[in-house]
PDB file of all heavy atoms in Angstrom:
ATOM      1  N   ILE P 105     -13.715 -27.488  11.939  1.00 87.00           N
ATOM      2  CA  ILE P 105     -14.404 -26.454  10.950  1.00 87.00           C
ATOM      3  C   ILE P 105     -15.800 -27.147  10.577  1.00 87.00           C
ATOM      4  O   ILE P 105     -16.767 -26.393  10.493  1.00 87.00           O
ATOM      5  CB  ILE P 105     -13.553 -26.197   9.685  1.00 87.00           C
ATOM      6  CG1 ILE P 105     -12.355 -25.357  10.120  1.00 87.00           C
ATOM      7  CG2 ILE P 105     -14.442 -25.496   8.697  1.00 87.00           C
ATOM      8  CD1 ILE P 105     -11.387 -25.056   8.922  1.00 87.00           C
ATOM      9  N   LEU P 106     -15.799 -28.409  10.282  1.00 89.00           N
ATOM     10  CA  LEU P 106     -17.086 -29.069   9.899  1.00 89.00           C
ATOM     11  C   LEU P 106     -18.081 -29.046  11.078  1.00 89.00           C
ATOM     12  O   LEU P 106     -19.263 -28.895  10.817  1.00 89.00           O
ATOM     13  CB  LEU P 106     -16.768 -30.477   9.405  1.00 89.00           C
ATOM     14  CG  LEU P 106     -15.958 -30.625   8.068  1.00 89.00           C
ATOM     15  CD1 LEU P 106     -15.700 -32.198   7.850  1.00 89.00           C
ATOM     16  CD2 LEU P 106     -16.793 -30.047   6.953  1.00 89.00           C
ATOM     17  N   VAL P 107     -17.485 -29.336  12.368  1.00 91.00           N
ATOM     18  CA  VAL P 107     -18.410 -29.225  13.448  1.00 91.00           C
ATOM     19  C   VAL P 107     -18.949 -27.925  13.770  1.00 91.00           C
ATOM     20  O   VAL P 107     -20.204 -27.750  13.938  1.00 91.00           O
ATOM     21  CB  VAL P 107     -17.643 -29.663  14.765  1.00 91.00           C
ATOM     22  CG1 VAL P 107     -18.488 -29.531  15.947  1.00 91.00           C
ATOM     23  CG2 VAL P 107     -17.362 -31.283  14.587  1.00 91.00           C
ATOM     24  N   LEU P 108     -18.224 -26.887  13.655  1.00 91.00           N
ATOM     25  CA  LEU P 108     -18.670 -25.504  13.634  1.00 91.00           C
ATOM     26  C   LEU P 108     -19.637 -25.238  12.502  1.00 91.00           C
ATOM     27  O   LEU P 108     -20.682 -24.456  12.894  1.00 91.00           O
ATOM     28  CB  LEU P 108     -17.486 -24.555  13.631  1.00 91.00           C
ATOM     29  CG  LEU P 108     -16.402 -24.508  14.883  1.00 91.00           C
ATOM     30  CD1 LEU P 108     -15.371 -23.657  14.694  1.00 91.00           C
ATOM     31  CD2 LEU P 108     -17.262 -24.187  16.179  1.00 91.00           C
ATOM     32  N   LEU P 109     -19.407 -25.543  11.367  1.00 91.00           N
ATOM     33  CA  LEU P 109     -20.235 -25.307  10.248  1.00 91.00           C
ATOM     34  C   LEU P 109     -21.662 -26.061  10.447  1.00 91.00           C
ATOM     35  O   LEU P 109     -22.616 -25.543  10.274  1.00 91.00           O
ATOM     36  CB  LEU P 109     -19.670 -25.834   8.950  1.00 91.00           C
ATOM     37  CG  LEU P 109     -20.456 -25.555   7.663  1.00 91.00           C
ATOM     38  CD1 LEU P 109     -20.706 -23.994   7.514  1.00 91.00           C
ATOM     39  CD2 LEU P 109     -19.689 -26.143   6.490  1.00 91.00           C
ATOM     40  N   ALA P 110     -21.558 -27.379  11.037  1.00 92.00           N
ATOM     41  CA  ALA P 110     -22.812 -27.974  11.394  1.00 92.00           C
ATOM     42  C   ALA P 110     -23.609 -27.318  12.396  1.00 92.00           C
ATOM     43  O   ALA P 110     -24.917 -27.161  12.331  1.00 92.00           O
ATOM     44  CB  ALA P 110     -22.547 -29.395  11.708  1.00 92.00           C
ATOM     45  N   ALA P 111     -22.962 -26.763  13.422  1.00 92.00           N
ATOM     46  CA  ALA P 111     -23.599 -26.043  14.470  1.00 92.00           C
ATOM     47  C   ALA P 111     -24.330 -24.684  14.009  1.00 92.00           C
ATOM     48  O   ALA P 111     -25.361 -24.403  14.409  1.00 92.00           O
ATOM     49  CB  ALA P 111     -22.660 -25.659  15.686  1.00 92.00           C
ATOM     50  N   LEU P 112     -23.646 -24.111  13.106  1.00 92.00           N
ATOM     51  CA  LEU P 112     -24.195 -22.875  12.551  1.00 92.00           C
ATOM     52  C   LEU P 112     -25.354 -23.101  11.653  1.00 92.00           C
ATOM     53  O   LEU P 112     -26.409 -22.598  11.656  1.00 92.00           O
ATOM     54  CB  LEU P 112     -23.158 -22.187  11.648  1.00 92.00           C
ATOM     55  CG  LEU P 112     -21.964 -21.494  12.452  1.00 92.00           C
ATOM     56  CD1 LEU P 112     -20.909 -20.914  11.564  1.00 92.00           C
ATOM     57  CD2 LEU P 112     -22.577 -20.321  13.322  1.00 92.00           C
ATOM     58  N   ALA P 113     -25.202 -24.322  10.869  1.00 92.00           N
ATOM     59  CA  ALA P 113     -26.416 -24.635   9.925  1.00 92.00           C
ATOM     60  C   ALA P 113     -27.523 -25.048  10.782  1.00 92.00           C
ATOM     61  O   ALA P 113     -28.760 -24.814  10.186  1.00 92.00           O
ATOM     62  CB  ALA P 113     -25.886 -25.801   9.011  1.00 92.00           C
ATOM     63  N   LEU P 114     -27.371 -25.614  11.862  1.00 93.00           N
ATOM     64  CA  LEU P 114     -28.557 -26.079  12.761  1.00 93.00           C
ATOM     65  C   LEU P 114     -29.086 -25.058  13.644  1.00 93.00           C
ATOM     66  O   LEU P 114     -30.016 -25.308  14.419  1.00 93.00           O
ATOM     67  CB  LEU P 114     -28.197 -27.357  13.430  1.00 93.00           C
ATOM     68  CG  LEU P 114     -27.791 -28.652  12.619  1.00 93.00           C
ATOM     69  CD1 LEU P 114     -27.346 -29.779  13.495  1.00 93.00           C
ATOM     70  CD2 LEU P 114     -29.056 -29.154  11.765  1.00 93.00           C
ATOM     71  N   LEU P 115     -28.539 -23.787  13.616  1.00 92.00           N
ATOM     72  CA  LEU P 115     -28.994 -22.785  14.585  1.00 92.00           C
ATOM     73  C   LEU P 115     -30.387 -22.435  14.544  1.00 92.00           C
ATOM     74  O   LEU P 115     -31.030 -22.238  15.642  1.00 92.00           O
ATOM     75  CB  LEU P 115     -28.074 -21.538  14.349  1.00 92.00           C
ATOM     76  CG  LEU P 115     -28.388 -20.372  15.164  1.00 92.00           C
ATOM     77  CD1 LEU P 115     -28.065 -20.652  16.649  1.00 92.00           C
ATOM     78  CD2 LEU P 115     -27.697 -19.092  14.830  1.00 92.00           C
ATOM     79  N   PRO P 116     -31.041 -22.411  13.335  1.00 92.00           N
ATOM     80  CA  PRO P 116     -32.479 -22.085  13.327  1.00 92.00           C
ATOM     81  C   PRO P 116     -33.335 -23.087  14.075  1.00 92.00           C
ATOM     82  O   PRO P 116     -34.449 -22.848  14.582  1.00 92.00           O
ATOM     83  CB  PRO P 116     -32.812 -22.123  11.813  1.00 92.00           C
ATOM     84  CG  PRO P 116     -31.538 -21.760  11.145  1.00 92.00           C
ATOM     85  CD  PRO P 116     -30.442 -22.446  11.983  1.00 92.00           C
ATOM     86  N   LEU P 117     -32.800 -24.304  14.367  1.00 91.00           N
ATOM     87  CA  LEU P 117     -33.557 -25.294  15.184  1.00 91.00           C
ATOM     88  C   LEU P 117     -33.579 -25.145  16.613  1.00 91.00           C
ATOM     89  O   LEU P 117     -34.468 -25.462  17.338  1.00 91.00           O
ATOM     90  CB  LEU P 117     -33.024 -26.736  14.842  1.00 91.00           C
ATOM     91  CG  LEU P 117     -33.096 -27.287  13.403  1.00 91.00           C
ATOM     92  CD1 LEU P 117     -32.335 -28.625  13.183  1.00 91.00           C
ATOM     93  CD2 LEU P 117     -34.513 -27.264  12.913  1.00 91.00           C
ATOM     94  N   TYR P 118     -32.566 -24.408  17.116  1.00 89.00           N
ATOM     95  CA  TYR P 118     -32.500 -24.218  18.618  1.00 89.00           C
ATOM     96  C   TYR P 118     -32.262 -22.895  19.006  1.00 89.00           C
ATOM     97  O   TYR P 118     -32.232 -22.534  20.200  1.00 89.00           O
ATOM     98  CB  TYR P 118     -31.240 -25.197  19.147  1.00 89.00           C
ATOM     99  CG  TYR P 118     -29.932 -24.831  18.590  1.00 89.00           C
ATOM    100  CD1 TYR P 118     -29.140 -23.800  19.098  1.00 89.00           C
ATOM    101  CD2 TYR P 118     -29.377 -25.592  17.504  1.00 89.00           C
ATOM    102  CE1 TYR P 118     -27.917 -23.490  18.600  1.00 89.00           C
ATOM    103  CE2 TYR P 118     -28.093 -25.400  17.021  1.00 89.00           C
ATOM    104  CZ  TYR P 118     -27.406 -24.240  17.589  1.00 89.00           C
ATOM    105  OH  TYR P 118     -26.115 -24.041  17.041  1.00 89.00           O
ATOM    106  N   GLY P 119     -32.069 -21.920  18.076  1.00 87.00           N
ATOM    107  CA  GLY P 119     -31.833 -20.586  18.360  1.00 87.00           C
ATOM    108  C   GLY P 119     -33.124 -19.768  18.422  1.00 87.00           C
ATOM    109  O   GLY P 119     -34.102 -20.101  17.700  1.00 87.00           O
ATOM    110  N   SER P 120     -33.225 -18.684  19.213  1.00 90.00           N
ATOM    111  CA  SER P 120     -34.261 -17.757  19.193  1.00 90.00           C
ATOM    112  C   SER P 120     -34.440 -16.918  18.097  1.00 90.00           C
ATOM    113  O   SER P 120     -33.400 -16.795  17.221  1.00 90.00           O
ATOM    114  CB  SER P 120     -34.193 -16.931  20.505  1.00 90.00           C
ATOM    115  OG  SER P 120     -33.074 -16.031  20.420  1.00 90.00           O
ATOM    116  N   ASP P 121     -35.513 -16.197  17.826  1.00 92.00           N
ATOM    117  CA  ASP P 121     -35.605 -15.449  16.749  1.00 92.00           C
ATOM    118  C   ASP P 121     -34.571 -14.156  16.780  1.00 92.00           C
ATOM    119  O   ASP P 121     -34.142 -13.901  15.772  1.00 92.00           O
ATOM    120  CB  ASP P 121     -37.107 -14.601  16.739  1.00 92.00           C
ATOM    121  CG  ASP P 121     -38.166 -15.760  16.398  1.00 92.00           C
ATOM    122  OD1 ASP P 121     -37.852 -16.775  15.912  1.00 92.00           O
ATOM    123  OD2 ASP P 121     -39.348 -15.523  16.742  1.00 92.00           O
ATOM    124  N   THR P 122     -34.310 -13.764  17.915  1.00 91.00           N
ATOM    125  CA  THR P 122     -33.255 -12.630  17.964  1.00 91.00           C
ATOM    126  C   THR P 122     -31.826 -13.181  17.627  1.00 91.00           C
ATOM    127  O   THR P 122     -31.185 -12.456  16.961  1.00 91.00           O
ATOM    128  CB  THR P 122     -33.152 -12.177  19.414  1.00 91.00           C
ATOM    129  OG1 THR P 122     -34.529 -11.665  19.898  1.00 91.00           O
ATOM    130  CG2 THR P 122     -32.157 -11.058  19.563  1.00 91.00           C
ATOM    131  N   ILE P 123     -31.597 -14.423  18.016  1.00 94.00           N
ATOM    132  CA  ILE P 123     -30.268 -14.976  17.669  1.00 94.00           C
ATOM    133  C   ILE P 123     -30.176 -15.134  16.185  1.00 94.00           C
ATOM    134  O   ILE P 123     -29.108 -14.833  15.565  1.00 94.00           O
ATOM    135  CB  ILE P 123     -30.125 -16.346  18.372  1.00 94.00           C
ATOM    136  CG1 ILE P 123     -29.906 -15.960  19.845  1.00 94.00           C
ATOM    137  CG2 ILE P 123     -28.866 -17.103  17.789  1.00 94.00           C
ATOM    138  CD1 ILE P 123     -28.700 -15.218  20.239  1.00 94.00           C
ATOM    139  N   ILE P 124     -31.230 -15.633  15.559  1.00 95.00           N
ATOM    140  CA  ILE P 124     -31.287 -15.958  14.078  1.00 95.00           C
ATOM    141  C   ILE P 124     -31.049 -14.549  13.371  1.00 95.00           C
ATOM    142  O   ILE P 124     -30.340 -14.457  12.376  1.00 95.00           O
ATOM    143  CB  ILE P 124     -32.613 -16.701  13.695  1.00 95.00           C
ATOM    144  CG1 ILE P 124     -32.571 -17.941  14.247  1.00 95.00           C
ATOM    145  CG2 ILE P 124     -32.604 -16.677  12.180  1.00 95.00           C
ATOM    146  CD1 ILE P 124     -33.867 -18.726  13.993  1.00 95.00           C
ATOM    147  N   GLN P 125     -31.718 -13.442  13.713  1.00 95.00           N
ATOM    148  CA  GLN P 125     -31.663 -12.193  13.110  1.00 95.00           C
ATOM    149  C   GLN P 125     -30.163 -11.642  13.313  1.00 95.00           C
ATOM    150  O   GLN P 125     -29.652 -11.126  12.363  1.00 95.00           O
ATOM    151  CB  GLN P 125     -32.718 -11.219  13.700  1.00 95.00           C
ATOM    152  CG  GLN P 125     -34.136 -11.643  13.366  1.00 95.00           C
ATOM    153  CD  GLN P 125     -35.187 -10.742  14.013  1.00 95.00           C
ATOM    154  OE1 GLN P 125     -34.821  -9.946  14.871  1.00 95.00           O
ATOM    155  NE2 GLN P 125     -36.368 -11.069  13.875  1.00 95.00           N
ATOM    156  N   PHE P 126     -29.749 -11.829  14.411  1.00 95.00           N
ATOM    157  CA  PHE P 126     -28.264 -11.435  14.680  1.00 95.00           C
ATOM    158  C   PHE P 126     -27.263 -12.296  13.787  1.00 95.00           C
ATOM    159  O   PHE P 126     -26.428 -11.729  13.329  1.00 95.00           O
ATOM    160  CB  PHE P 126     -27.872 -11.546  16.073  1.00 95.00           C
ATOM    161  CG  PHE P 126     -26.462 -11.303  16.371  1.00 95.00           C
ATOM    162  CD1 PHE P 126     -25.851 -10.178  16.428  1.00 95.00           C
ATOM    163  CD2 PHE P 126     -25.653 -12.492  16.758  1.00 95.00           C
ATOM    164  CE1 PHE P 126     -24.506  -9.976  16.653  1.00 95.00           C
ATOM    165  CE2 PHE P 126     -24.291 -12.408  16.894  1.00 95.00           C
ATOM    166  CZ  PHE P 126     -23.781 -11.030  16.915  1.00 95.00           C
ATOM    167  N   GLY P 127     -27.628 -13.555  13.721  1.00 96.00           N
ATOM    168  CA  GLY P 127     -26.834 -14.391  12.789  1.00 96.00           C
ATOM    169  C   GLY P 127     -26.985 -14.037  11.392  1.00 96.00           C
ATOM    170  O   GLY P 127     -25.860 -13.964  10.647  1.00 96.00           O
ATOM    171  N   ILE P 128     -28.036 -13.569  10.809  1.00 96.00           N
ATOM    172  CA  ILE P 128     -28.155 -13.009   9.437  1.00 96.00           C
ATOM    173  C   ILE P 128     -27.309 -11.897   9.256  1.00 96.00           C
ATOM    174  O   ILE P 128     -26.517 -11.855   8.260  1.00 96.00           O
ATOM    175  CB  ILE P 128     -29.660 -12.760   9.206  1.00 96.00           C
ATOM    176  CG1 ILE P 128     -30.471 -14.057   9.219  1.00 96.00           C
ATOM    177  CG2 ILE P 128     -29.675 -12.180   7.748  1.00 96.00           C
ATOM    178  CD1 ILE P 128     -31.957 -13.795   9.029  1.00 96.00           C
ATOM    179  N   SER P 129     -27.318 -10.893  10.121  1.00 95.00           N
ATOM    180  CA  SER P 129     -26.592  -9.756   9.989  1.00 95.00           C
ATOM    181  C   SER P 129     -24.935 -10.023  10.136  1.00 95.00           C
ATOM    182  O   SER P 129     -24.270  -9.555   9.255  1.00 95.00           O
ATOM    183  CB  SER P 129     -26.908  -8.633  11.128  1.00 95.00           C
ATOM    184  OG  SER P 129     -28.348  -8.254  10.931  1.00 95.00           O
ATOM    185  N   THR P 130     -24.736 -10.925  10.882  1.00 96.00           N
ATOM    186  CA  THR P 130     -23.231 -11.231  11.128  1.00 96.00           C
ATOM    187  C   THR P 130     -22.782 -12.100   9.955  1.00 96.00           C
ATOM    188  O   THR P 130     -21.607 -11.718   9.507  1.00 96.00           O
ATOM    189  CB  THR P 130     -23.015 -12.028  12.392  1.00 96.00           C
ATOM    190  OG1 THR P 130     -23.500 -11.378  13.562  1.00 96.00           O
ATOM    191  CG2 THR P 130     -21.676 -12.347  12.680  1.00 96.00           C
ATOM    192  N   LEU P 131     -23.536 -12.925   9.420  1.00 97.00           N
ATOM    193  CA  LEU P 131     -23.052 -13.772   8.261  1.00 97.00           C
ATOM    194  C   LEU P 131     -22.959 -12.884   7.080  1.00 97.00           C
ATOM    195  O   LEU P 131     -21.918 -12.998   6.308  1.00 97.00           O
ATOM    196  CB  LEU P 131     -24.017 -14.900   8.014  1.00 97.00           C
ATOM    197  CG  LEU P 131     -24.159 -16.016   8.992  1.00 97.00           C
ATOM    198  CD1 LEU P 131     -25.254 -16.895   8.758  1.00 97.00           C
ATOM    199  CD2 LEU P 131     -22.806 -16.813   9.070  1.00 97.00           C
ATOM    200  N   LEU P 132     -23.762 -11.977   6.890  1.00 96.00           N
ATOM    201  CA  LEU P 132     -23.695 -11.017   5.686  1.00 96.00           C
ATOM    202  C   LEU P 132     -22.531 -10.171   5.795  1.00 96.00           C
ATOM    203  O   LEU P 132     -21.943  -9.717   4.865  1.00 96.00           O
ATOM    204  CB  LEU P 132     -25.082 -10.188   5.518  1.00 96.00           C
ATOM    205  CG  LEU P 132     -26.241 -11.075   5.063  1.00 96.00           C
ATOM    206  CD1 LEU P 132     -27.379 -10.112   5.054  1.00 96.00           C
ATOM    207  CD2 LEU P 132     -25.934 -11.714   3.767  1.00 96.00           C
ATOM    208  N   LEU P 133     -22.249  -9.579   6.941  1.00 96.00           N
ATOM    209  CA  LEU P 133     -20.987  -8.793   7.169  1.00 96.00           C
ATOM    210  C   LEU P 133     -19.740  -9.629   6.989  1.00 96.00           C
ATOM    211  O   LEU P 133     -18.781  -9.169   6.440  1.00 96.00           O
ATOM    212  CB  LEU P 133     -21.030  -8.212   8.698  1.00 96.00           C
ATOM    213  CG  LEU P 133     -21.914  -7.098   8.895  1.00 96.00           C
ATOM    214  CD1 LEU P 133     -21.916  -6.740  10.427  1.00 96.00           C
ATOM    215  CD2 LEU P 133     -21.428  -5.874   8.154  1.00 96.00           C
ATOM    216  N   ALA P 134     -19.781 -10.909   7.314  1.00 96.00           N
ATOM    217  CA  ALA P 134     -18.658 -11.747   7.113  1.00 96.00           C
ATOM    218  C   ALA P 134     -18.435 -11.930   5.590  1.00 96.00           C
ATOM    219  O   ALA P 134     -17.292 -12.090   5.087  1.00 96.00           O
ATOM    220  CB  ALA P 134     -18.854 -13.195   7.830  1.00 96.00           C
TER     221      ALA P 134
END
């Protein structure tokens, strides 16, 4: 869980703008 959480937290460093926007929507739905 900690590894997955770290990967999610660092997503803005390696993810594209589209992935980040999708991530915001998904996180808020969660």
Side-chain angles (χ1 to χ4, degrees):
I105 292 174
L106 290 176
V107 170
L108 292 175
L109 184 58
L112 288 174
L114 296 175
L115 179 64
L117 297 179
Y118 59 84
S120 65
D121 292 341
T122 302
I123 293 296
I124 295 173
Q125 292 172 0
F126 171 73
I128 296 171
S129 299
T130 302
L131 291 172
L132 291 178
L133 282 173

